[in-house]
Amino acid sequence: MDYLPLFFDLKNRQALLVGGGDVALRKARLLVRAGACVRVVSREVHAELDELIERHGGQVIIGEYHSALLDDVALVIAATDDESLNERVHYDAVARSLPVNVVDNPPLCTFVFPAIVDRSPIVIGISSGGQSPVLARLLRARLETLIPSGYSRLGKLVGGFRDRVKARFSSVNARRKFWEEILQGEVAERVFAGRDEEAAGLLEQALDTADEGRGVGEVYLVGAGPGDPELLTFKALRLMQQADVVVYDRLVSPQVLDLCRRDADLIYVGKKRDDHSLPQQGINALLVEHARKGRRVVRLKGGDPFIFGRGGEEIEELKANGIPFQVVPGITAASACSTYAGIPLTHREYAQSVKFVTGQLKNRTSDLKFDELVHPNQTIVFYMGLHTLEQLCAGLMAHGKPGDTPVAIVSQGTSPEQRVLTGRLDDIVARQQHAQLPAPAIIIVGEVVALQSRLAWFGCTEGEQADG
Ligand SMILES: C[S@@+](CC[C@H](N)C(=O)[O-])C[C@H]1O[C@@H](n2cnc3c(N)ncnc32)[C@H](O)[C@@H]1O
């Protein structure tokens, strides 16, 4: 983050605006909207600017800038076309530790103006850190269309109830739950429909009948997908943004984690091969413990919680303890990685079925039912198989799978670091020894892999194409 977004309270405080043209006028409009007393200094002042400042009780000084004008001001803007004057204003302000913005000159700014979506009291500021103001403005235009103007009235309505709700609920969690229900339910809908009085009545009623001691919280077992945050479901995102606690493991990408509610407690429980930061029993107990405290717990798991995710064990424990839960499916690695690698898992000509198989072998010996995996016209996807690649390939070939069967390894699928290595059953081990693709990775075995050379569309592929 290049700049920390903050909101500045300028009500009844002095702001110095150096410059009197169109640009200064635009800045002055913003300053007066925020309730500032604006002091303008310039040799000439735009008539509209003069009128605006007078109407809002500010001061217009026709003349030269000098540093004494910085006395008692809280914020400074230089909006002139005289570069040396802009620089002087900058250095004078910095010497007094005053925040200063020199329009269109980021190196001379200690703060920047964001593009603003104003639904006061709700205000959204979008900044590109000076890199691309046009991009920030385009995003603003999108948000303008997505956020109905009713949000402004909704903000004002609930603002009027804030103290009463605070007095009604002693715990922060209960208060938050109450507000989330109000802001996503009938009250909000009535405001958006322009029926503000009905909305206020419903809010009164909800406050009267609210029951603080609704006891246990809830656990949401959420599939976070393979890494690319755009592959989350809407439901996953909504629950992640409501969570009080997020219990997550290693395969959840930082970009996905970043979308959780800002002030949720984030608890890492690891789960690397042979290194479980917290054993499964401990994770189960943790979920129960937090839910019993009335918290909404998101258990965030890579891919889909019910595919090699031990999700079943976690909800069994919740059920046994009477904790309510929901399960949200996620896009599993086989589906996501094959898609991003350009390998359709089934194909009318090459594969009519697909099997998801764990590549983890007990004591590294072959306890897999290889004879079931070698049928023609099916695709096999191995999860957790990178470290047993050699045994998997040898086992398949020993049970009759031809050595020239195409194979792909998809590593860190869907992320910008995704790599795809293709080869054949009888040479993929050597290729991987050379390429050293890192975990997490899936291994796809079957004729469909040969389509990859034509269908690849994302990231890069290594190694020669096995076939076709
Ligand atoms: C314990 S399993 C969890 C699977 C997860 N529940 C799912 O549905 O994708 C972990 C394995 O999933 C695979 N995996 C998960 N994310 C991956 C990714 N982004 N790229 C490649 N493989 C991935 C790897 O085989 C990894 O060893």
Side-chain angles (χ1 to χ4, degrees), residues 226 251 302-304 307-308 332-333 337 383-384 410 412-413 440-442:
L251 286 178
D304 182 280
I307 296 183
F308 304 124
T332 190
C337 298
Y383 286 67
M384 298 168 281
V410 186
Q412 297 176 293
I442 56 158

Side-chain angles (χ1 to χ4, degrees), residues 66-99:
H66 51 93
S67 64
L69 290 170
L70 295 170
D71 290 349
D72 307 325
V73 308
L75 176 134
V76 185
I77 298 170
T80 78
D81 46 16
D82 177 342
E83 278 181 26
S84 66
L85 174 58
N86 286 346
E87 254 182 50
R88 249 181 72 208
V89 175
H90 163 85
Y91 287 113
D92 288 349
V94 168
R96 295 175 179 228
S97 302
L98 287 172

Side-chain angles (χ1 to χ4, degrees), residues 53-192:
I53 299 300
E54 194 183 322
R55 190 155 28 97
H56 287 87
Q59 184 187 10
V60 174
I61 302 167
I62 307 285
E64 297 296 326
Y65 160 82
H66 51 93
S67 64
L69 290 170
L70 295 170
D71 290 349
D72 307 325
V73 308
L75 176 134
V76 185
I77 298 170
T80 78
D81 46 16
D82 177 342
E83 278 181 26
S84 66
L85 174 58
N86 286 346
E87 254 182 50
R88 249 181 72 208
V89 175
H90 163 85
Y91 287 113
D92 288 349
V94 168
R96 295 175 179 228
S97 302
L98 287 172
V100 57
N101 176 280
V102 176
V103 177
D104 283 340
N105 196 340
L108 294 187
C109 293
T110 64
F111 72 92
V112 291
F113 281 92
I116 295 170
V117 180
D118 189 358
R119 300 283 184 275
S120 287
I122 306 298
V123 177
I124 303 171
I126 306 151
S127 162
S128 66
Q131 308 281 330
S132 175
V134 175
L135 186 57
R137 278 208 297 278
L138 290 176
L139 276 172
R140 190 196 78 176
R142 268 203 207 178
L143 290 178
E144 290 278 9
T145 59
L146 286 176
I147 302 172
S149 58
Y151 272 88
S152 174
R153 296 192 334 273
L154 181 60
K156 285 176 189 143
L157 173 71
V158 300
F161 279 77
R162 201 157 175 249
D163 291 341
R164 285 173 59 196
V165 171
K166 204 165 175 185
R168 177 80 173 75
F169 298 98
S170 54
S171 92
V172 179
N173 280 344
R175 221 179 295 152
R176 190 183 297 136
K177 251 189 216 168
F178 175 81
W179 278 130
E180 278 170 4
E181 277 166 24
I182 293 297
L183 294 170
Q184 295 177 97
E186 207 36 40
V187 171
E189 287 308 324
R190 301 275 167 109
V191 172
F192 297 150

Side-chain angles (χ1 to χ4, degrees), residues 245-249 257 264-270 278 286 290 295 297-299:
V245 186
V246 178
V247 178
Y248 68 101
D249 49 36
L257 208 55
D265 289 342
L266 301 180
I267 304 175
Y268 175 67
V269 289
L278 190 62
L286 193 71
H290 282 285
R295 309 180 88 190
V297 184
V298 162
R299 170 68 176 113

